């Protein structure tokens, strides 16, 4: 998987730099060409000569070296990369790349590579720094652009604090590099339709019935499919999220609007994934003016919304359809019933009574159910990793 591939490894000045040395060694042992680019701060922690000996290639540190004859320039490095990884990535490098600053060799290579090949950023820093809103915002920018982030681990940090900020272990980094290299463009030429977010069913000009869906799960799926080469249309209910990079987004409000948009777009889709939390019922009447408070109770009458997935099952026989099951009890039994009734190929069950899974959380723990097969139970993972694992199952079906 790694043999014969070219990896540009950006190394910055973090105390976890020793893992970058080990990673280089493991990559070279598996037949990968590793081109190391170091920042000046990194060279103060480990010498370029050390990386040069291990990678068996010249290490690049300067944008304008005195003896340029043997050094590949930033464009040449970017052109030959099958993957670009930054290990460890400091808060500084994350901020620079998020904002397109190119003031040294490493950041210039990053801008030249853009999203032409998979990019893996492996942050490592003090827990307070990692939790800082500006670092998190910068990482969100990079994720939206399609960069993979090797989420740092929780544990004892070099600074003596306990927290989240520890660079992932070398075996885990190798797994992710291998995964990114194999996944590259495996959905090229396929058209995906993904739904995300809640729907809003209006009662009057200022009130509506809705649910807690943030859109994170659906957006992660749309981004993951686009990263893997698919043409993606995202039909989104109201969310506060920015559009994922490389995805066409159609905004809707109500279940009926989502129904129309999905039926229109599904005609051209090879894969439909419904992660949206669609309201099953809407108020029978929309009051033109704000409903006035009275002394007594009021009664709302609700009517059924169309079941979007079910109507697709009847209309398009040769596309892969994936639904989600948001459950709070009898999880697998209810999910399996939805798999059968909605005539879909996969259903992703999540327990929405949990705080760290389902609605709003950044993580999810799902069980993937298919016909005539044992369920696949995934561990608790960040939603973008869950998205890739779901897409791996879709790929098998395709
Ligand atoms: O958005 P997040 O905050 O990240 O939260 C993610 C999530 C919890 C919303 C997501 O993981 C999820 O579970 N989405 C499905 C929510 C839901 O509506 O589940 P359900 O069990 O009620 O519906 C089953 C399936 O039928 C779903 O794929 C749903 O999109 C679809 N459906 C439901 C009702 C309807 N009228 N038409 C439909 O197509």
């Amino acid at each position: 998987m790694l043999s014969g591939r070219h990896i540009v490894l950006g190394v910055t000045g973090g105390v976890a730099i020793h893992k970058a040395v080990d990673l280089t060694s493991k990559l070279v042992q598996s037949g990968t060409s590793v081109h190391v680019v170091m920042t000046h701060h990194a060279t103060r922690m480990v010498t370029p000569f050390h990386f040069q000996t291990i990678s068996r290639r010249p290490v690049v540190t300067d944008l304008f070296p005195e003896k340029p004859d043997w050094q590949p320039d930033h464009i040449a490095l970017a052109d030959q990369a099958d993957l670009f990884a930054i290990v460890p990535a400091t808060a500084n490098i994350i901020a620079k790349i998020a904002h397109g600053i190119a003031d040294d060799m490493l950041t210039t290579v990053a801008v030249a590579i853009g999203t032409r090949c998979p990019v893996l950023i492996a942050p490592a820093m003090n827990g307070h720094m990692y939790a800082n809103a500006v670092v998190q915002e910068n990482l969100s920018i990079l994720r939206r652009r399609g960069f993979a982030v090797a989420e740092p681990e929780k544990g004892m940090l070099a600074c003596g604090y306990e927290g989240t900020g520890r660079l992932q272990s070398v075996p885990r980094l190798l797994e992710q590099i291998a995964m990114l290299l194999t996944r590259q463009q495996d959905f090229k030429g396929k058209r995906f339709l993904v739904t995300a977010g809640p729907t809003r069913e209006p009662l009057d000009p200022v009130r509506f019935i809705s649910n807690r869906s943030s859109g994170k799960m659906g957006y992660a799926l749309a981004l993951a499919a686009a990263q893997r080469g698919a043409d993606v249309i995202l039909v989104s209910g109201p969310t506060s999220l920015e559009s994922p990079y490389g995805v066409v987004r159609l905004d809707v409000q109500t279940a009926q609007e989502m129904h129309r948009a999905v039926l229109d777009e599904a005609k051209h889709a090879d894969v439909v994934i419904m992660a949206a939390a669609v309201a099953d019922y809407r108020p029978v009447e929309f009051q033109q003016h704000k409903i006035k408070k009275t002394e007594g109770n009021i009664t709302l009458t609700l009517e059924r919304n169309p079941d979007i997935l079910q109507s697709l099952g009847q209309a398009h026989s040769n596309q892969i359809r994936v639904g989600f099951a948001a459950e709070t009890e009898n999880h697998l039994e209810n999910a399996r019933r939805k798999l059968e009734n909605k005539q879909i190929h996969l259903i992703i069950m999540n327990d929405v009574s949990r705080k760290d899974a389902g609605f709003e959380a950044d993580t999810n723990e799902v069980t993937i159910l298919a016909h005539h097969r044992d369920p696949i139970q995934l561990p608790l993972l960040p939603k973008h990793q869950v998205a890739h694992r779901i897409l791996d199952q879709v790929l098998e079906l395709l």
Side-chain angles (χ1 to χ4, degrees):
M1 217 178 286
L2 293 166
S3 175
R5 312 306 289 267
H6 291 270
I7 293 183
V8 175
L9 181 68
V11 179
T12 71
V15 282
I17 194 167
H18 60 95
K19 290 192 188 170
V21 175
D22 191 17
L23 180 67
T24 307
S25 166
K26 297 277 183 330
L27 287 168
V28 171
Q29 283 168 36
S30 51
T32 316
S33 310
V34 184
H35 306 262
V36 177
V37 183
M38 298 176 78
T39 61
H40 278 287
H41 284 127
T43 64
R44 293 185 60 187
M45 301 185 125
V46 171
T47 65
F49 184 68
H50 197 58
F51 276 104
Q52 183 174 315
T53 312
I54 289 166
S55 68
R56 303 172 201 156
R57 287 176 186 277
V59 169
V60 186
T61 52
D62 282 318
L63 198 47
F64 304 112
E66 276 172 26
K67 283 195 214 156
D69 43 317
W70 56 269
Q71 279 205 335
D73 67 21
H74 59 283
I75 304 290
L77 272 175
D79 282 351
Q80 55 187 264
D82 292 313
L83 181 133
F84 178 40
I86 304 187
V87 183
T90 55
N92 183 48
I93 201 83
I94 291 167
K96 281 189 188 173
I97 296 176
H99 297 281
I101 295 170
D103 62 354
D104 63 3
M105 187 60 168
L106 178 46
T107 47
T108 308
V109 172
V111 172
I113 285 183
T115 48
R116 206 188 48 71
C117 69
V119 182
L120 178 69
I121 305 273
M125 64 196 79
N126 162 275
H128 297 309
M129 284 177 81
Y130 184 67
N132 190 315
V134 75
V135 174
Q136 290 305 317
E137 269 168 38
N138 288 333
L139 283 170
S140 300
I141 292 175
L142 295 180
R143 282 195 196 96
R144 276 202 303 280
R145 266 183 224 150
F147 290 29
V149 177
E151 310 289 338
E153 292 168 355
K154 199 171 176 187
M156 184 53 78
L157 305 171
C159 54
Y161 282 94
E162 176 109 21
T164 302
R166 200 163 69 179
L167 183 65
Q168 281 197 6
S169 68
V170 172
R172 286 206 62 196
L173 290 168
L174 282 167
E175 264 170 31
Q176 288 181 68
I177 288 172
M179 217 183 306
L180 286 170
L181 283 170
T182 41
R183 274 176 183 164
Q184 218 173 331
Q185 307 297 296
D186 51 5
F187 286 110
K188 186 124 199 106
K190 296 291 174 204
R191 285 164 300 191
F192 272 64
L193 171 61
V194 179
T195 67
T199 61
R200 285 181 181 173
E201 311 301 321
L203 284 163
D204 70 14
V206 296
R207 301 183 180 98
F208 52 80
I209 297 174
S210 190
N211 58 66
R212 285 172 35 220
S213 171
S214 63
K216 287 178 188 170
M217 191 64 246
Y219 277 54
L221 279 157
L223 175 63
Q227 280 173 344
R228 293 167 69 162
D231 294 321
V232 184
I233 306 245
L234 172 65
V235 176
S236 175
T239 74
S240 58
L241 303 177
E242 282 185 43
S243 300
Y245 185 82
V247 163
V248 176
R249 170 169 150 186
L250 305 176
D251 288 322
V252 296
Q253 294 279 325
T254 64
Q256 284 177 302
E257 283 172 24
M258 187 171 278
H259 187 221
R260 279 193 292 275
V262 168
L263 285 196
D264 262 9
E265 295 300 333
K267 289 180 207 140
H268 318 289
D270 300 297
V271 180
V272 178
I273 307 182
M274 292 269 321
V278 186
D280 285 320
Y281 293 91
R282 64 175 182 272
V284 169
E285 267 182 85
F286 172 74
Q287 304 291 333
Q288 294 298 331
H289 298 287
K290 187 177 162 209
I291 300 167
K292 290 271 177 273
K293 193 163 45 190
T294 57
E295 284 308 311
N297 299 333
I298 60 165
T299 305
L300 290 174
T301 311
L302 305 176
E303 63 185 325
R304 277 294 301 268
N305 269 325
D307 190 307
I308 304 174
L309 257 182
Q310 210 158 24
S311 37
L312 277 184
Q314 287 144 13
H316 302 277
S317 54
N318 55 352
Q319 77 194 164
I320 303 293
R321 288 178 302 279
V322 181
F324 272 74
E327 303 300 338
T328 55
E329 57 175 349
N330 303 328
H331 304 83
L332 290 182
E333 202 182 312
N334 289 342
R336 199 160 279 289
R337 198 168 32 245
K338 287 176 187 171
L339 178 71
E340 302 298 338
N341 291 347
K342 291 180 189 257
Q343 302 177 47
I344 53 181
H345 301 87
L346 291 178
I347 194 140
I348 318 300
M349 193 286 293
N350 44 185
D351 179 349
V352 290
S353 59
R354 288 171 56 163
K355 276 206 167 65
D356 56 356
F359 290 112
E360 293 170 313
D362 289 328
T363 48
N364 207 356
E365 188 172 313
V366 306
T367 305
I368 305 176
L369 291 103
H371 301 278
H372 319 298
R373 223 181 52 186
D374 287 338
I376 301 172
Q377 157 100 58
L378 298 183
L380 185 71
L381 292 169
K383 279 185 174 163
H384 63 271
Q385 283 185 30
V386 174
H388 278 293
R389 301 286 285 267
I390 293 170
L391 293 187
D392 291 343
Q393 295 303 313
V394 171
L395 191 67
E396 277 190 23
L397 289 173
L398 277 172

